């Protein structure tokens, strides 16, 4: 029993350390529209590099399994596509945000 408790604690600490969502300012919602310059559909999280009128953003998406289950295919986030992302800016990296949702061709996909 003691080993199970230690293992459970270790797994939850690892998961928290991995996500580190406290890096993102949940009090400052962003909505950005632009063209995808680059994208990744890999673990632990997908991403798009989004070129807006102001700058290029690294947008952290959900894990590929979640995106696929919610209807966001790899094809939908290919470079050259125009998308809108809604999410939170990184507190320490001014070109990074965590997406809560992505809108592609008028289809909204919730990522969290």
């Amino acid at each position: 029993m003691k080993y199970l408790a230690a293992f459970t604690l270790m797994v939850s600490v690892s998961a928290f350390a991995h996500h580190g969502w406290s890096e993102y300012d949940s009090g400052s919602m962003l909505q950005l529209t632009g063209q995808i310059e680059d994208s990744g559909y890999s673990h632990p999280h997908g991403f798009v590099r989004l070129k807006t009128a102001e700058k290029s953003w690294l947008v952290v998406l959900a894990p590929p399994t979640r995106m696929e289950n919610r209807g966001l295919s790899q094809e939908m986030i290919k470079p050259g596509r125009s998308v809108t992302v809604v999410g939170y800016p990184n507190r320490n990296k001014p070109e990074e945000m965590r997406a809560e949702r992505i809108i592609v061709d008028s289809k909204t996909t919730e990522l969290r």
Side-chain angles (χ1 to χ4, degrees):
M1 186 64 152
K2 176 168 51 171
Y3 295 110
L4 178 61
F7 177 75
T8 303
L9 178 62
M10 186 174 69
V11 168
S12 36
V13 167
S14 294
F16 179 76
H18 162 72
H19 285 285
W21 294 135
S22 63
E23 286 183 59
Y24 299 92
D25 183 359
S26 62
S28 298
M29 182 72 77
L30 296 174
Q31 180 169 322
L32 304 173
T33 299
Q35 186 172 42
I36 296 175
E37 296 180 306
D38 189 20
S39 64
Y41 207 83
S42 59
H43 289 283
H45 298 280
F47 75 90
V48 296
R49 171 84 44 201
L50 187 69
K51 178 69 173 164
T52 66
E54 296 80 34
K55 64 183 176 182
S56 184
W57 289 83
L58 173 62
V59 181
V60 178
L61 303 173
T65 307
R66 184 179 310 153
M67 291 189 292
E68 189 71 33
N69 289 341
R70 295 186 180 175
L72 184 67
S73 69
Q74 189 170 2
E75 178 71 25
M76 294 170 74
I77 59 168
K78 285 184 111 172
R81 302 285 307 257
S82 290
V83 300
T84 298
V85 291
V86 178
Y88 306 114
N90 188 302
R91 295 177 194 277
N92 302 308
K93 300 173 188 168
E95 291 84 28
E96 182 177 309
M97 72 176 287
R98 178 187 104 193
E100 290 292 311
R101 69 190 55 87
I102 186 168
I103 302 142
V104 182
D105 296 334
S106 301
K107 178 188 182 327
T108 300
T109 304
E110 295 295 328
L111 300 172
R112 302 288 162 227

